[in-house]
Amino acid sequence: MPGSSRLPVSLRETLRAQSGAARGRLLALNIDVFRNIIFLLFLLRWTRRAFYQLRGRGIAGSIVDAYVAARRTLYGIFLRLPGVRTKVQTQIAESILKLERRLVPTGPGVERTVALPTEGWSEDRVRAALQTMEDMEHTRWEDGRVSGAVYHGGDSLRRLQTEAFGKFTVSNPIHPDVFPGVRKMEAEVVAMVLSLFNAPEGAAGVTTSGGTESILMACLSARQKAFVERGVTEPEMILPETAHTAFRKAAEYFKIKLHLVACKAPHYKVHLPSVSRLINPNTILLVGSAPNFPHGIIDDISGLSRLALRKKLPLHVDCCLGSFLIPLLAKAGFETEPFDFRLKGVTSISCDTHKYGFAPKGNSTVLYRTDALRKYQYFICADWSGGVYASPSIAGSRPGALIAGCWASLVQQGESGYVDSCHKIVGAAKKIESAIREDPNLATDLRVIGRPLLSVVAFLSNSLNIYDIADGMGEKGWHLNALQNPPAIHVAVTLPIVGAADKMISDLVEVVEEVREKERKRVAEGKGKKGAVKGDAAALYGVAGSLPNKSVVVDLAKGFLDTLYKA
């Protein structure tokens, strides 16, 4: 066309090629930049983790953690080797079979009901069968021979609870309009427990099925609070290594990373500087026990409270075991320590009404400083085809009869009743503690762990096999709790034990002397100061404490749980 010019074909192709190459280089550059950004984010993430790991555990502690993890992994690989695994599984099967023979009744005269009867039984036959079940051979908790387990408030209270059960057998709090009395009793139970723990105006709580659910709910509330208010997606919580294992269950259920802090001798309380060093932007909850289950020791809740306030973190205090004892220690004339909502850093408390509140089993409470904290544990579904669904805790339907039994127990005992039981129970615990510390027949070889203020007395031995002592007490009809890390025994005093405390002490003196005599014979025979680990308690806890990898113990525990469901 006149007046126009066109680029030669070769030039246009060259320009297109150069343009394509430029776009390619730009794309490659963008990919490189993107790759570098990803790498930097990855590096930043792991540098941040390494920083908080080193700050929390220190160089030496991190090396120890790495060594323990490597040792555990290598030992797990060793246990999975063909020859080793076969032998280990054979021994586990033998142990589970022994357990089954002990727990599952067999032989002539044992009836097993594994399918619905074709025709329903008569009431008399049902009553006779129930009586047979009640009369099965068992450790005599009625005679005060069982540590903890049965927190019995007396026969008259049990009769009252049974009457409350009868009146509300079919009730369910999920339908408050159908069962208004149950709703009222549940609200009053929460209010009474809040008052006992000096809750401020605006505090709130819910009832649960037990201490584990109460702890789960407190952890869930803290997790949700951190997610909503701070955007935390990788939650972590810090707790004493002696804190109840329900916190570890919560960590597994709700995907919360755990940091365990040592509770070293001689005080066996959580080490506050270690807690402080472990706090990072992902921390959602601090934990203290009042008291802890293993040793009955109250953590430094005042120190934890100050730390929680300074770091603006929730602090949960587990009072499940302390329940209706620790709030009344002072009124019963005993030494106490600060632990409840009067400490401004305490944001939630778990308290079992079915322990020293003597309510029927299946009752507990979780308390919050504010109603806003309680709301974080709620589950609400607004778009379900069955209607709007809302529940305050894990359970949907709940037994109103248990709430009625709890309410009846609390109002029947009253503060004076609980002060009286506190005086008896803690008094008996101090008698046992004094005997172990002061009786030369015991003090020579036994040592009380820490300085317990409530109902639990834990003791260990540096010269005798403590599990031999546990087995010896078992042979005399006592069911005490074997502990590990360190190997020890504890007794959790209940009202039935109060009347049997003197007998327990005298039997303990006899057993310690028997074990001591066996040690003398071993030494005389040239076998050393301690013999081989023997007995049921020693077989489990002695081996468990020595294994770097606990998979064998896990398999044994699974077998135990399976055995519970064999008819």
Side-chain angles (χ1 to χ4, degrees):
M1 179 179 295
S4 66
S5 62
R6 299 183 63 183
L7 293 174
V9 173
S10 59
L11 182 57
R12 288 201 304 270
E13 289 176 351
T14 301
L15 291 174
R16 279 199 298 269
Q18 290 176 346
S19 176
R23 284 195 299 270
R25 285 194 297 271
L26 182 60
L27 178 61
L29 180 62
N30 288 338
I31 290 173
D32 285 341
V33 170
F34 182 72
R35 185 189 297 119
N36 289 336
I37 290 173
I38 295 297
F39 176 74
L40 286 173
L41 289 175
F42 174 83
L43 189 63
L44 179 64
R45 176 186 176 87
W46 284 100
T47 301
R48 185 169 176 264
R49 286 189 173 186
F51 170 76
Y52 287 120
Q53 168 70 24
L54 290 172
R55 192 184 76 169
R57 297 294 189 188
I59 295 175
S62 297
I63 292 172
V64 170
D65 288 347
Y67 168 76
V68 170
R71 187 165 175 253
R72 185 187 301 119
T73 301
L74 291 173
Y75 197 83
I77 294 171
F78 169 73
L79 290 175
R80 289 194 296 271
L81 294 176
V84 177
R85 180 170 179 79
T86 301
K87 186 174 182 179
V88 168
Q89 291 300 320
T90 300
Q91 292 177 342
I92 289 174
E94 290 174 356
S95 298
I96 293 173
L97 183 60
K98 290 179 183 178
L99 190 64
E100 184 177 329
R101 287 170 180 164
R102 186 157 61 91
L103 292 178
V104 183
T106 57
V110 175
E111 294 185 7
R112 297 168 66 242
T113 306
V114 295
L116 284 173
T118 305
E119 297 293 334
W121 292 359
S122 67
E123 290 185 9
D124 287 341
R125 184 178 177 184
V126 174
R127 290 191 184 97
L130 289 172
Q131 189 61 51
T132 299
M133 304 287 188
E134 184 183 17
D135 293 340
M136 288 176 68
E137 184 178 350
H138 62 280
T139 306
R140 297 294 300 174
W141 66 264
E142 302 92 334
D143 301 331
R145 300 228 161 209
V146 176
S147 167
V150 182
Y151 298 85
H152 188 35
D155 289 334
S156 61
L157 181 58
R158 184 163 58 169
R159 286 191 293 269
L160 181 63
Q161 290 168 348
T162 303
E163 187 175 338
F165 269 48
K167 291 183 181 297
F168 294 92
T169 300
V170 301
S171 63
N172 184 352
I174 204 171
H175 303 293
D177 52 337
V178 181
F179 304 106
V182 171
R183 188 218 64 80
K184 181 176 184 293
M185 285 186 288
E186 182 173 27
E188 290 179 358
V189 165
V190 171
M192 284 188 276
V193 182
L194 283 168
S195 173
L196 192 63
F197 284 84
N198 296 291
E201 187 72 26
V206 301
T207 66
T208 68
S209 62
T212 292
E213 187 183 354
S214 291
I215 288 170
L216 288 175
M217 292 296 91
C219 293
L220 177 63
S221 171
R223 191 196 73 170
Q224 296 304 97
K225 171 181 167 62
F227 176 74
V228 172
E229 298 181 8
R230 295 193 282 130
V232 175
T233 57
E234 296 181 341
E236 303 179 9
M237 63 179 174
I238 305 168
L239 57 145
E241 63 183 2
T242 53
H244 197 278
T245 192
F247 289 100
R248 305 186 191 205
K249 179 184 281 191
E252 183 170 322
Y253 281 4
F254 303 140
K255 306 304 178 188
I256 303 171
K257 182 178 178 179
L258 271 183
H259 293 288
L260 299 178
V261 176
C263 302
K264 297 180 180 179
H267 303 297
Y268 294 91
K269 294 175 182 254
V270 67
H271 188 242
L272 292 180
S274 295
V275 174
S276 181
R277 286 194 298 269
L278 285 166
I279 293 173
N280 65 57
N282 285 331
T283 304
I284 63 164
L285 184 66
L286 306 182
V287 173
S289 304
N292 65 48
F293 172 82
H295 311 137
I297 303 298
I298 302 172
D299 284 315
D300 183 359
I301 307 299
S302 295
L304 285 170
S305 172
R306 291 191 296 271
L307 184 58
L309 283 173
R310 189 167 72 248
K311 300 293 185 177
K312 298 181 180 179
L313 288 170
L315 168 61
H316 180 79
V317 180
D318 177 23
C319 291
C320 286
L321 182 55
S323 59
F324 280 46
L325 293 181
I326 189 167
L328 299 170
L329 276 177
K331 290 186 177 180
F334 297 111
E335 179 186 355
T336 188
E337 293 180 4
F339 67 93
D340 61 14
F341 285 117
R342 286 173 290 187
L343 297 173
K344 296 190 182 301
V346 174
T347 53
S348 59
I349 294 174
S350 47
C351 168
D352 279 358
T353 46
H354 69 194
K355 284 195 171 70
Y356 295 107
F358 308 133
K361 275 295 180 183
N363 275 288
S364 180
T365 56
V366 57
L367 315 173
Y368 294 102
R369 180 173 287 276
T370 67
D371 177 59
L373 290 169
R374 178 175 63 177
K375 284 184 170 65
Y376 281 120
Q377 76 164 58
Y378 288 169
F379 174 79
I380 299 171
C381 180
D383 57 357
W384 179 41
S385 56
V388 177
Y389 179 92
S391 62
S393 57
I394 287 178
S397 292
R398 294 177 291 136
L402 283 175
I403 292 171
C406 179
W407 182 88
S409 303
L410 268 57
V411 296
Q412 194 276 334
Q413 291 287 295
E415 183 179 285
S416 61
Y418 288 121
V419 170
D420 181 61
S421 62
C422 177
H423 185 79
K424 292 175 181 176
I425 291 166
V426 178
K430 291 191 177 298
K431 177 188 288 189
I432 295 169
E433 179 190 357
S434 296
I436 296 172
R437 290 190 190 277
E438 299 169 9
D439 187 329
N441 296 303
L442 299 175
T444 303
D445 293 292
L446 303 184
R447 179 166 61 83
V448 174
I449 292 178
R451 197 169 67 88
L453 298 183
L454 282 95
S455 58
V456 173
V457 180
F459 54 95
L460 50 77
S461 177
N462 294 324
S463 54
L464 301 175
N465 188 324
I466 196 69
Y467 299 130
D468 284 346
I469 295 173
D471 291 334
M473 291 296 284
E475 290 170 4
K476 289 184 176 292
W478 297 95
H479 183 89
L480 306 182
N481 297 90
L483 312 172
Q484 57 183 338
N485 305 322
I489 304 170
H490 92 203
V491 54
V493 178
T494 60
L495 275 180
I497 290 179
V498 169
D502 290 330
K503 178 61 175 170
M504 177 185 289
I505 293 168
S506 64
D507 281 354
L508 183 59
V509 169
E510 289 182 15
V511 168
V512 169
E513 180 53 37
E514 289 169 4
V515 174
R516 194 181 287 131
E517 181 60 28
K518 290 177 183 177
E519 292 292 279
R520 294 191 193 103
K521 289 181 180 179
R522 291 184 188 119
V523 172
E525 294 169 359
K527 296 180 180 179
K529 290 185 178 181
K530 288 191 177 182
V533 175
K534 295 179 180 178
D536 293 338
L540 177 59
Y541 287 99
V543 173
S546 64
L547 294 177
N549 184 293
K550 308 293 184 184
S551 59
V552 174
V553 183
V554 170
D555 288 342
L556 283 170
K558 288 178 179 177
F560 166 73
L561 294 176
D562 289 341
T563 302
L564 299 182
Y565 293 95
K566 293 190 176 181

